[in-house]
Amino acid sequence: MPSPDGTLHAITANRLRDGVVVFLGAAGAWVESFADAALLTEAEATTALAAAKAQAERDQFGVDLYAFEVESENGAALPVKMRERIRTLGPSVRLDLGKQAAA
Amino acid sequence: MNHIAPGARAGIYHYDEIDRRFVGERVEQFRRQVERRLSGELTEEEFKPIRLMNGLYLQLHAYMLRIAVPYGVMSAVQLRKLAEIGRTYDKGYGHFTTRQNLQYNWIKLEDTPAILNALADVDMHALQTSGNCVRNVTTDQFVGAAKDEVVDGRVYAEILRQWTSLHPEFTYLPRKFKIAISGAASDRAAVRVHDVGLLARRNEAGEAGFTFYVGGGLGRSPFIGKLVREWVAEEDFVAYLEAILRVYNQYGRRDNIYKARIKILVHELGLEKFKAEVEEEFARLRGPKYRLDPAIVAEIRTHFAPPPFEDLPETSSALERAKAENPAFANWVAVNVAEHKAPGYAIATISLKPPGGIPGDASCDQMDVIADLAEQYSFGELRVSHVQNIVLAHVKQDELYALWQKLDAVNLGTANAGLIGDIIACPGLDYCALANARAIPLAQAISARFADPLRQRTIGELGIKISGCINACGHHHVAAIGILGVDKKGTEFYQITVGGDPTLTTAIGDILGPAVTEHEAVDAIEAIVEVYLANRTGESERFLDTLARVGHGPFKERIYAAD
Ligand code: HEM
Ligand code: SF4
């Protein structure tokens, strides 16, 4: 989907060994919390995703890498789609589980 | 991998020895494959088909492991092991599915070999739960117990399990292949929405035989299984099925995943041509090699011998007394208890759908309680139903009250089997990587809205089924009221269908109108129910009957009137 000007992007994957959702953070390191994810322009995201995929081929750290759109709500970054909102938090029907539980 | 000739397997029923060795070898093989994947020796592309064949999917939050429960029947010991695994390797719960399987949602790849080892300890595995093979054969959850049973489907499900498990010809079918068997007067196994649906019956001489329906299925293109043969004698059972699978293997499309199921083949070839092909193959196969020897059937049947029932009177005065004293219990008996073929016994359904709960989820503590109760009251055996409930099939009527009290104490005493609160919902967007919308929250909201047991009884038989995408794992197509989650520009919407029917009078539901929001969906369901109650001729007219009589008009008018 073409993103309107100014839409930000983040990059996500599942960690190979345990499946945990991870995000690409600053300086190319994978982080577990969406709050630490790097927010990128569309162009930056395209480059970063390609690099991360190439890296993943080598180090086998993450699988199913992809970029998703992020919007800003009251100054806080929030994934545009419900799918990634749920990925960043955990199941909406079990608030005691997933990343939201640790928060 | 050591292929065992299907003939030899069906011939000699060495369940313990051969199966244990086979499962053990597969676990060991997978352990080495996981090691090679973690060390980077295998790429994801190479590894993915391997992990899928072992029941391991990657979902939204973690890996999901699908455990086979052959024909939905398991022992208390096995359930306790599942609870232990859920506690050790998952987050203290599991999800029972419409395929009579159990799924864990938070599995780590690095733990799976250990989990599969733990499963193997109790003769369980995750084979045939994924991939383009013949999947876990499903059957009636009341099998071997129901009063209306004619033939015990487990015997033939077991024969199929042995026949297909390692059959090299059936390991790379064009697509997955699902078989369901029902051997009772009422179809509780939804046979006509499976690739092959079997009705086990008896002829006038009392011999067992099968009616074959082929090409049913849900998903993107729903089809109702077509009758391909009214009667296949027991000795031809394997030969006829093999003929179907061969025709499928030969002509089934492999170029397009959406056109690869046998339902598309039957549709594209046309029923007559398909039948002719199968008959031709059948004629070729028929002979000593493919004849199902009655001695084998008899041998397998001994494994499903009835438990040692006591000689009891037909009815129980203790039960009648308890019902008179406790209306909530009486309601549970009326709704969740079915007739047993042995006098003085009953079949109890344990609902995994408390009002506002997550359909099919059970905590490990609940699993332990159910395992204990199965041992105490039902010969240590239990079943998973395709509507995501648990069944204790052989309970003494005298002991139903004690059973219910213990169930009720752990929130498992809900009386809603077959009623509006007994909702099927797939994991949807809360867990599933393929989902368009959430399914569980809607199920929770609807079951909470209709929590009142009396109101549910008044409404009567009415199934709601919800899928989070068109793959239709929640069977929404065949629901009296079906709900399909769709994504409209990033927002969850729900499309409502009415008039589906999973029983032998199979029907695919019709879309009622434009998709609605989650909030509107709950009100819309309530409106549909109100229109039904206002229009029905009496309590004996089911929702489906009223709908057939009055048509969509009054329902549409009510829901979409405000637009
Ligand atoms: C959460 C991970 C799951 C994934 C990735 C998944 C994937 C799929 C896919 C791709 C299909 C369509 C296949 C086809 O028509 O060729 C399908 C169908 C189906 N799945 Fe699932 N599913 C999942 C969970 C479940 C669960 C939890 C259940 C049981 C509640 C289930 C039961 C079914 C059934 C009954 C069908 C319809 C089969 C038919 O077309 O005849 N699935 N699934
Ligand atoms: S119907 Fe769709 S959303 Fe639901 S479990 Fe199946 S694939 Fe996932």
Side-chain angles (χ1 to χ4, degrees), chain B residues 57 59 64 66 95-99 103 175-176 178 193-195 216-220 257 261 263 388 425-427 431-432 434 471-473 475:
Chain B
Y57 290 71
Q59 287 298 294
M64 178 270 276
R66 189 176 276 176
H95 178 71
F96 289 99
T97 81
T98 51
R99 293 283 309 150
Q103 293 182 179
R175 198 78 178 84
K176 58 177 154 182
K178 298 180 180 177
V193 295
H194 287 77
D195 295 284
L218 303 172
R220 192 173 300 265
I257 189 172
R261 294 288 288 267
K263 60 189 177 186
Q388 302 177 284
C426 79
Y431 294 98
C432 179
L434 303 174
N471 284 326
C473 303
H475 291 191

Side-chain angles (χ1 to χ4, degrees), chain B residues 284-317:
Chain B
R284 226 194 329 260
L285 287 175
R286 213 170 184 182
K289 181 158 179 270
Y290 281 91
R291 177 170 174 268
L292 181 58
D293 187 341
I296 294 172
V297 180
E299 210 281 318
I300 289 179
R301 186 169 293 118
T302 61
H303 291 259
F304 302 106
F309 293 123
E310 288 170 35
D311 243 335
L312 298 173
E314 191 71 49
T315 56
S316 149
S317 49

Side-chain angles (χ1 to χ4, degrees), chain B residues 47-62:
Chain B
F47 180 67
K48 190 173 172 183
I50 297 174
R51 74 163 154 74
L52 287 177
M53 282 199 158
N54 285 280
L56 194 65
Y57 290 71
L58 186 58
Q59 287 298 294
L60 283 187
H61 313 290

Side-chain angles (χ1 to χ4, degrees), chain B residues 307-333:
Chain B
F309 293 123
E310 288 170 35
D311 243 335
L312 298 173
E314 191 71 49
T315 56
S316 149
S317 49
L319 171 62
E320 293 311 317
R321 257 196 320 278
K323 279 183 1 190
E325 281 162 18
N326 189 324
F329 170 63
N331 185 50
W332 182 77
V333 172

